[in-house]
Amino acid sequence: MAVIYFDIGDTLAKAEFAGDGKLVFHPLPGVIEALETLAAHRKGIISDPGEGQAAQDRAKAALQAAFGKYFSESALIYWGSKKSTAIFEQAIQASGAKGEACLFVGENANERQYAKDAGMRTAATPQQAAQEVAAAPRPQAEHKREL
């Protein structure tokens, strides 16, 4: 896979506001193990933190605190609505790959359909993403024949 894009809420983590108003992401069971399994792959985020820059800033800080080592390419992090193909098309373009080389992981079936409509492959959970990547055909190297 060129890039594996993840939704956050209810896919990677449960979101909670702490007493000080800070957003905190609590990784769901098995997520860290799945991310470790996918360590060799580029990873990004496609998630909707809510309206406004303050919501994005809170989500960025929470993402860094909970999952920073897994999502280090800021160009692969997209915040916004997933109610059309637009954000998925932007993410594909940013990956520099074809849509079928990108995988969107999200629990919401409607969002997965928009990702498919944009040309991405999809999985409902990080664990399924790890299985999908393991089962994906590997490109075969071309062998040149010497004459």
Side-chain angles (χ1 to χ4, degrees), residues 90-135:
Q90 290 174 336
I92 291 167
Q93 186 175 6
S95 76
K98 294 184 178 187
E100 64 267 12
C102 296
L103 177 67
F104 172 69
V105 184
E107 86 294 343
N108 184 292
N110 291 331
E111 294 171 359
R112 287 195 312 273
Q113 187 59 55
Y114 286 122
K116 283 181 188 177
D117 292 347
M120 289 182 163
R121 297 168 75 169
T122 64
T125 67
Q127 295 83 353
Q128 288 176 352
Q131 293 169 354
E132 174 84 12
V133 168

Side-chain angles (χ1 to χ4, degrees), residues 20-78:
D20 61 1
K22 190 168 132 184
L23 181 62
V24 178
F25 293 143
H26 300 284
L28 293 172
V31 165
I32 298 298
E33 294 83 355
L35 291 173
E36 287 292 332
T37 299
L38 298 168
H41 298 274
R42 293 172 69 204
K43 288 174 278 312
I45 295 291
I46 300 175
S47 197
D48 189 350
E51 293 292 321
Q53 189 61 47
Q56 284 186 21
D57 292 344
R58 282 191 297 273
K60 286 178 191 177
L63 178 66
Q64 181 61 36
F67 300 106
K69 80 177 205 176
Y70 301 105
F71 300 98
S72 59
E73 289 187 62
S74 61
L76 299 178
I77 297 178
Y78 287 85

